[in-house]
Amino acid sequence: MGTEIEADGRALRFSRRERALAQMEAHDLDMLVLGRQANVRYISGAPQLWVVGTRPFGPICEFVRATGEIHLNSTWDEGIPEEIPHENLYGFAWNPMTLIGILQDIKGADTVRRVGTDALTPTFAKLLPMAFPKAELIDAEPAMQAARRIKTPEEVQALRRALVVAEEGLAAGVAALGPGTTENALAGAVLEAEAAGGVSTPATQDAAWVTSKEHPWRRADGDGRVRDGDLVVVAAGVLADGYVAEVARTLYVGEPTDAVRALYRRRDDLWRLLIEACRPGSATSALLAAYHQAGERLPAMPVAHGLGLGFDPPVVSPTLRATAEAEVLEEGMVLAVTAYVWEEGVGGVLTRDAVLITADGAEVMSAAPAYGEAVHG
């Protein structure tokens, strides 16, 4: 694994900016002033340090529609794309008026009409008009979401590379599974393999857990130790070069019973219906309907969510049914699709895969085995 900080590939950077420019035109935005890290990387193509966790809005990246010029908050040149010159970089500043002065120096700042931001604090809501005196401040998040929801071919390749690392983590967790091991040991195996693959940033909170036989949405109570008769979820998620990849499988410990085999068959039936629902032009609510058609209760977690530079649209959840009915699947979307079935006294089976919406339907991008009848002994 190299130690150099490198910008995203040129083709990846320019393909994303083309989509962003198209949405800026569609939403009549003259300039973007972005603070959210996923949006900043989408435009700039530069990985940044010191951005983990939630922080208030700040002007980190500016993108001028008329010239294609990019200004970026960075204190060094390493990893900065060649098309962003040194003079367009600016450092951190505790005084917000220093940042306003930097924005005022951007060519055209005094004449732009509509400036889009992806978030605002009360402070910057008052200060930004000083940098753009003739501009109306517009919510740019709809434009950025519209750009990011459809992946370019270069983004799909980036997601495939991230999936390879996630699947290596999954395989390590599966190999470590057996009676007597612990959830923590399984999680350690997953994270160790992901780190060996060059990724030290997990994208999911839990990597392994024993499913409850008493409650459909909880993990099993107890000491976290794996025993014969347990259904164990192994979930790998990574943030690789900015892109999130997720894959999850459930394995049975011991000799499978008829009830366990029946549960896996229910998972298979549900999964087939979910994939059939992943067609361009269909409402995302078709994924919710797949659960109803299979006779399964809807899970507490989202049935699907977009993958990309972080958490992309759409989010398909029982709690967002109106949104799911309005959202339409489009060619080029990449979703993390989840199938979940549960039986009292047996446990739950969860499967999650990355699915690419294609012109002809759906492509399951994950290459990991399904682990159906071939459960873990």
Side-chain angles (χ1 to χ4, degrees), residues 284 288 302 315-326:
T284 59
L288 301 177
V315 178
V316 187
S317 169
T319 60
L320 301 172
R321 190 176 292 273
T323 302
E325 292 173 353

Side-chain angles (χ1 to χ4, degrees), residues 14 45 75 86 141 178 194 206 218 225 229 237 244 296 301 303 307 324-325 339 369:
F14 279 78
T75 56
H86 180 80
E141 192 59 27
E194 292 174 352
D206 292 318
R218 295 176 184 165
R225 191 166 297 278
V244 173
E296 304 292 346
M301 76 283 286
V303 170
L307 293 176
E325 292 173 353

Side-chain angles (χ1 to χ4, degrees), residues 11 13 31 47 49 85 96 121 156 162 169 197 216 230 237 245 260 267-268 280 282 287 313 319 333 356:
R13 301 194 308 267
M31 183 187 296
L49 300 178
T121 58
V156 172
D230 284 338
V260 169
R267 186 277 312 270
D268 293 342
S282 297
L287 289 159
T319 60
M333 284 182 173
L356 172 64

Side-chain angles (χ1 to χ4, degrees), residues 56-70:
F57 171 82
I60 303 299
C61 175
E62 293 74 47
F63 188 33
V64 183
R65 174 181 155 196
T67 62
E69 191 175 66
I70 298 172

Side-chain angles (χ1 to χ4, degrees), residues 138-156:
I138 306 296
D139 181 9
E141 192 59 27
M144 291 304 301
Q145 286 193 4
R148 289 171 51 188
R149 65 188 285 117
I150 307 297
K151 303 300 179 288
T152 69
E154 293 80 8
E155 286 189 284
V156 172

Side-chain angles (χ1 to χ4, degrees), residues 3 7 46 54 61-62 70 75 104 178 190 229 241 246 263 274 318 340 348 369:
T3 57
T54 301
C61 175
E62 293 74 47
I70 298 172
T75 56
Q104 287 173 332
V190 172
D241 295 327
E246 298 181 27
L263 194 60
L274 286 169
Y340 181 76

